[in-house]
Amino acid sequence: MSTSENQTQISDLNPEHETDETDFILSARNLVKYFPITSGIMSRVVGHVHAVDDVSFDVPRGKTIGVVGESGCGKTTLGRTILRLSQPTSGDVFFEGDNIAKMSLRKYRKYRRQMQIVFQDPYASLNPRMMVKNILREPLLVHKTLRKRQINNYILRVMREVGLDLEHLNRFPHEFSGGQRQRICIARALVLNPHFVVLDEPTASVDVSVQARVLNLLKRLQKIRNLTYMFISHDLSVVTHMSDIVMVMYLGKILEIGPKRIFTLKGSEVHPYTLALGSALPIPDPLYEKKQIILRGDVPNPANPPPGCRFHTRCPEARQICTEKVPELEKTGSFHYIACHFRE
């Protein structure tokens, strides 16, 4: 999909007002991330894992774009590549109008403050040897955003904003519950006052009873701070609850993108893969009989993706053309785009 085509696409996702460049806090263009596969004593490169393969999309300012798909489809790699925690193989990432994918690390340093991430596993992402006050103080000292005498009061204010208090500052990560640790990770992402936050399955490691409170906290913080989120999850119901725009990924490719109402209406036209994801969700009604779509086989090897449509090896609607030609994202109506040869 060309750049001009993609601009039209995301503009259509905001039909309420006329869209211009300032409406997008982040734009990815033909973004690619391959991981080399080495072999032998000389570590010769014998192949590549196609984690993210030619992805283009825009993120409207102050909104949430949800990324959904099975494990191994490239969701987390996409988020890390956008933040340059993993260096892109090729492509462009524009943040606030500047191409951060091509600039030097020294110049990119100021953008680190504006782009943060909340990792999936809060315990693994927190230093077990540091107390919470030092975990939150460290980014402020590195980026020198506040004077030292202001840091303690500021940290306490951020802690209370995420539902923690003064007594929690002098504890270590292992002394907290899973939900409290995730709140600490959220606080750490917020101390630098970012504009854009990647949420990498932030509720996957907490109990179901805690998930709703964490999600509501994230929504409240977004409203208060005017944050822009990229919300990554394998759960389509959680993504549609949190997001304004939903993007479905499979084996490094975008298969579908559109406003969340497309994915919540019964009988709406969606990609066969999205339909299968939705059919796997439990319905809180014992009398409702739901037909689950069982996909055949396993996800193909990302080091050797199938030709044509990446999903054709498991798609119940696959035809000969699906094995030969890569489908482009095309408009199907209602500001909705699908990459499928048989979307009609």
Side-chain angles (χ1 to χ4, degrees):
M1 182 171 55
S2 65
T3 301
S4 60
E5 289 173 339
N6 198 62
Q7 285 283 25
T8 303
Q9 168 191 330
I10 304 301
S11 299
D12 286 343
L13 291 176
N14 297 274
E16 296 83 0
H17 62 278
E18 184 178 355
T19 306
D20 54 50
E21 286 296 328
T22 59
D23 289 323
F24 306 129
I25 190 170
L26 184 140
S27 300
R29 292 291 177 268
N30 307 112
L31 189 62
V32 174
K33 177 59 182 178
Y34 292 167
F35 292 100
I37 302 173
T38 59
S39 178
I41 298 176
M42 303 299 294
S43 297
R44 183 170 59 91
V45 176
V46 296
H48 291 87
V49 174
H50 297 230
V52 177
D53 202 349
D54 196 18
V55 168
S56 298
F57 63 93
D58 294 315
V59 183
R61 189 183 304 275
K63 302 293 184 179
T64 300
I65 183 167
V67 186
V68 64
E70 292 175 279
S71 297
C73 71
K75 308 184 300 296
T76 297
T77 302
L78 176 62
R80 293 177 62 90
T81 303
I82 286 172
L83 301 181
R84 285 190 65 177
L85 297 177
S86 294
Q87 188 66 24
T89 303
S90 64
D92 301 302
V93 179
F94 297 93
F95 182 77
E96 303 281 7
D98 295 326
N99 190 352
I100 60 175
K102 300 294 176 65
M103 65 177 55
S104 66
L105 291 176
R106 182 177 181 180
K107 187 176 180 181
Y108 177 62
R109 179 185 174 90
K110 69 174 183 179
Y111 293 95
R112 290 282 190 194
R113 299 195 297 267
Q114 302 175 36
M115 306 172 71
Q116 293 294 308
I117 184 171
V118 176
F119 293 99
Q120 178 177 349
D121 187 350
Y123 191 73
S125 62
L126 296 173
N127 190 331
R129 298 184 178 183
M130 294 178 67
M131 288 189 291
V132 171
K133 63 180 181 181
N134 295 325
I135 290 174
L136 300 183
R137 182 183 289 121
E138 185 177 35
L140 297 171
L141 295 175
V142 170
H143 289 277
K144 301 177 181 179
T145 57
L146 291 175
R147 296 178 179 177
K148 289 187 177 181
R149 65 173 181 269
Q150 299 174 315
I151 289 179
N152 289 338
N153 289 334
Y154 177 72
I155 287 175
L156 180 58
R157 188 164 74 247
V158 174
M159 285 283 285
R160 287 173 173 167
E161 200 171 357
V162 299
L164 299 175
D165 213 331
L166 176 64
E167 63 186 47
H168 299 108
L169 287 173
N170 293 316
R171 297 183 187 176
F172 292 93
H174 72 272
E175 299 179 76
F176 294 92
S177 66
Q180 289 176 321
R181 282 197 291 264
Q182 195 61 285
R183 289 173 185 266
I184 295 170
C185 291
I186 294 171
R188 182 179 60 181
L190 295 180
V191 291
L192 291 176
N193 196 24
H195 301 161
F196 176 73
V197 181
V198 174
L199 303 170
D200 185 10
E201 303 204 39
T203 59
S205 60
V206 299
D207 296 336
V208 176
S209 60
V210 182
Q211 288 184 8
R213 292 199 290 270
V214 173
L215 294 176
N216 290 335
L217 170 64
L218 291 170
K219 279 202 163 190
R220 179 171 60 83
L221 291 172
Q222 182 179 34
K223 184 176 181 180
I224 294 173
R225 290 174 168 259
N226 192 29
L227 294 169
T228 303
Y229 288 153
M230 171 179 279
F231 189 90
I232 297 170
S233 179
H234 63 275
D235 190 332
L236 185 58
S237 62
V238 173
V239 168
T240 53
H241 171 72
M242 287 293 296
S243 306
D244 302 289
I245 301 170
V246 177
M247 187 165 67
V248 181
M249 286 191 69
Y250 182 80
L251 214 61
K253 289 280 192 181
I254 297 176
L255 297 187
E256 186 168 13
I257 185 169
K260 71 174 182 180
R261 58 185 174 81
I262 295 294
F263 302 87
T264 56
L265 293 175
K266 291 184 178 180
S268 62
E269 177 189 333
V270 295
H271 194 281
Y273 179 60
T274 309
L275 198 62
L277 289 177
S279 73
L281 299 176
I283 301 296
D285 184 355
L287 301 179
Y288 180 78
E289 294 185 6
K290 185 176 183 180
K291 182 180 178 181
Q292 184 174 352
I293 300 174
I294 306 297
L295 297 177
R296 63 191 184 209
D298 298 319
V299 179
N301 184 357
N304 184 28
C309 176
R310 296 280 171 91
F311 185 58
H312 83 262
T313 59
R314 306 174 70 197
C315 181
E317 307 294 333
R319 303 292 188 273
Q320 182 64 30
I321 189 175
C322 301
T323 66
E324 300 171 350
K325 183 180 179 182
V326 178
E328 298 290 336
L329 278 172
E330 295 183 3
K331 187 175 182 179
T332 64
S334 301
F335 321 109
H336 181 207
Y337 289 76
I338 299 179
C340 181
H341 292 300
F342 297 96
R343 59 191 179 279
E344 65 275 4

